[in-house]
Amino acid sequence: MCGIIGYTGEKSGLDIVLQGLEALEYRGYDSAGLAVIENGEGKVFKQVGRVAGLRQVVNGQELAAHLAIGHTRWATHGRVTIQNAHPQVNSEQTIFVVHNGIIENFGELRDKLVANGYTFISETDTEVVPNLIDFYLKQLDSFKAAFEAALNDIHGAYSIVAISAHDPETLYAARLSSPLVIGVGENENFLASDPSAIIEHTKKVIYLEDYDVAVITKSDVKIHNLKQNTTPEPKVELIDYDNEEALLGDFPNFMFKEITETPAAIRSASLGRALADKNLVKLGGLESVIGQLKYIDRIVIVAMGTSYYAGLVGEYLIEELAGIPVEVQLASEFNYRNEPFSRSTALLAISQSGETADTIAALKKVEDYGVLRLGIVNAVGSTIARMTDAGVYCHAGPEKAVASTKAFIAQVTVLMLIALNLSKGRSKRFKPLLEELDVLPAKAQAILDQVENIKNIAEKYADYRDFLFIGRHNSFPAALEGALKLKEISYMHAEGYAAGEMKHGPLAMIDENFPTFAIATNSPLLDKTLSNIQEIRARKGPVVALATEGNESIKELCDDVIYIPNTEPETQPILQVIAMQLFAYYIAMKRGYDVDRPRNLAKSVTVE
Ligand code: AGP
């Protein structure tokens, strides 16, 4: 939700923090701020809006500060104002704190501090943190002791970083249910919400665990776990992608860049795993639980948003290829159900960021059930990746646009590999699908090669207020995902429906002002979908069809047709969704919106 960056070292903390904030801006962009400690004195700069505005505020400041923290905010408590922007500061302006997460008991803490003479100027929950540290600093003999005492009072989810004029070389950090990573440099160290903000400085990272408190100087990192009261040896890992992958390059925005990376996403999700020549699917991440997988007779998939729709496609794949019953649930719903859950049921969490609070909560819910917990995650080393017993990384590379595109493609590819792996080669679809995976990236590229055609069609529909997306079988979840793409970046009302439902309600909405995007690619159910299209056209509803190359007759039925290459039934959703990502993208661009940072949304929803 929010972005955090911290620096301690020999270089200019101001420049490093500003660069880091620009890399983190996709996480939250209501407001931004930073604090530096220079010559024993703290200075704070804040701005509503994007980081570019903050850079203007800071412009020209000659600050030789070597200790700095920064924050991009996605508002949870309090309006979008300068007072509510982070860093939040104690009344005496000596302690500076940035925070991602929610402090559930901030009201009682604020009352306690007011009763002890503290004053507050913001509407945020975060502002209690610097004042609580200050409160304990007056009673305890070190900043670290005061920092830990304050953390012990806080209930909720947080990644917190504090600096103080009392201690002008040290970053103090704490993590509970909200990601925070230490970047290990040469005579300098960093902190960030995610590695992409520091990768240009170092690829060596230490992922903080829940209840970890880290005390970081330019030459030393000490970690203390408050819950276990241990001081674990920091475990240094390497970021698994290069800096240029995380940068925009010559693309107009990250969303388009990441859509163009969908062929590569299929390749990298399959690389070393789909071995067509050996008629084998090798998933190293599942090998440690191969014995338990034998006894799994049901899989519950939990996810949110686009990852949930990938799970719905996965339901068809796993049930039809591996013969294992699958139920897909929104994690936010799963968490509050009291359903029977046998030990032979596996929970499979799907998440691009690996930090989605609802999905994390689902994994926590079954922690004591003694069931197998699996993950399909893109962000290496993320919370969900580390909570699960085993899993398969998507290897799609950093995805920074809020609207998930290449990650969905990678997720469905991985789900197909898992389904084939669980089928143990018994499925007669095994070989044809492994062979199709080999050529699928080229078919995805063929769609990208016709962006002009998709752009011209999409722009014709940019001024409508509503859109219906329909599909059947595994194209039904594809329709749901197509509708989500359109609604989240163009703000147009769009909903996905099973085509077979039309006469049970949705047809009532149809008139000349209510277009339909009909997924009508080659399938045994195509004739039924063509009938739906005729019903819609009979009521003057405009129709854009997504069809398989070669189907010329469909042109007579529809206003516009977008063609995609023929592919196996199981891999159709992958190509269908790439076309719908582009369709949504060009409508949003025509409407003039920021496709990377849609209003009201954030890339990683780390609060429920
Ligand atoms: C995707 O376009 C959305 N921005 C959003 O629904 C996202 O898929 C959802 O928040 C889940 O995120 P995750 O995959 O990181 O868990």
Side-chain angles (χ1 to χ4, degrees), residues 304-307 350-354 356 359 402-404 411 484-485 488 603 605:
M304 299 300 286
T306 284
S307 297
I350 303 177
S351 176
Q352 188 288 127
S353 64
T356 297
T359 312
V402 165
S404 186
Q411 288 166 346
L484 173 62
K485 279 299 90 51
E488 71 174 324
K603 180 61 180 174
V605 184

